[in-house]
Amino acid sequence: MTESRRFAEEVFNTIISAHSRTFFAEIDRSAQGEFSVLRCLMNAEEGVSAGEIAEKSCVSSARMAVLLNRMEEKGLIEKYKDENDRRKTMVRATKKGSKLISERKQMLLCVLEKITEKVGREKISVMIETMREISAVCEEMEKGKENASAQEYM
């Protein structure tokens, strides 16, 4: 892997972790729900619960059930019951779904390499560090959310 590609990978991973919904929405607005699901499955070594995907995607469990059924019909995912808790529906990407994730990621990495060439590695490095700091602050805010009032966010 070239240094340029490694750096593009770092930018990609940083953007995905900090602004995944916005980033993937730009890929294909008509399929952003599917890409939200695939993003959740992208680095999962095992299946992910449908509930966890719904939570990370900020959609209701009912909406997620419809989306997962559609994706299963397309052959992008497979659903199965959790061995320890049969009430839980688990989800994993199929070969077709994994291939789609990989193709989109490669496309985005090429775009990010070109952006880095135009903007400059130094500026992108500052952006990555800033995004990591913002992400950490957001995580702190999220942890304290249940104990905080709306006034504390202002």
Side-chain angles (χ1 to χ4, degrees):
M1 184 183 299
T2 67
E3 179 62 27
S4 176
R5 180 50 61 114
R6 274 192 292 280
F7 190 72
E9 286 268 356
E10 184 176 359
V11 173
F12 176 83
N13 290 330
T14 302
I15 289 173
I16 292 305
S17 66
H19 298 286
S20 58
R21 276 178 267 154
T22 302
F23 194 66
F24 273 95
E26 294 304 316
I27 294 173
D28 184 350
R29 290 217 180 267
S30 66
Q32 62 184 314
E34 292 178 5
F35 283 104
S36 181
V37 171
L38 292 172
R39 176 189 48 82
C40 289
L41 300 175
M42 185 166 38
N43 296 318
E45 293 187 21
E46 298 195 14
V48 179
S49 76
E52 185 178 338
I53 296 170
E55 186 178 314
K56 286 182 178 179
S57 302
C58 297
V59 299
S60 69
S61 55
R63 171 73 183 113
M64 184 54 61
V66 171
L67 179 59
L68 293 176
N69 287 338
R70 187 175 71 218
M71 292 179 71
E72 189 173 41
E73 287 171 8
K74 290 181 176 182
L76 298 173
I77 59 139
E78 62 182 0
K79 298 186 296 185
Y80 61 98
K81 292 295 179 187
D82 185 301
E83 291 177 12
N84 299 320
D85 184 350
R86 304 292 295 161
R87 297 170 297 174
K88 265 188 183 178
T89 298
M90 302 298 289
V91 181
R92 66 179 150 236
T94 61
K95 286 183 181 180
K96 183 178 178 180
S98 295
K99 182 178 181 216
L100 182 59
I101 292 168
S102 179
E103 288 170 356
R104 294 298 180 147
K105 182 177 177 182
Q106 291 308 310
M107 178 196 74
L108 291 169
L109 289 172
C110 288
V111 169
L112 291 170
E113 284 179 311
K114 289 177 184 175
I115 289 170
T116 300
E117 288 172 14
K118 300 265 186 205
V119 174
R121 188 182 180 110
E122 221 173 281
K123 288 181 182 177
I124 298 292
S125 293
V126 169
M127 179 200 70
I128 289 171
E129 187 56 38
T130 302
M131 289 174 73
R132 286 182 178 147
E133 289 176 26
I134 291 169
S135 184
V137 169
C138 289
E139 285 178 27
E140 286 176 28
M141 289 173 63
E142 188 66 29
K143 286 178 186 173
K145 188 172 158 182
E146 53 276 351
N147 299 326
S149 68
Q151 292 291 332
E152 293 178 48
Y153 284 106
M154 297 180 168

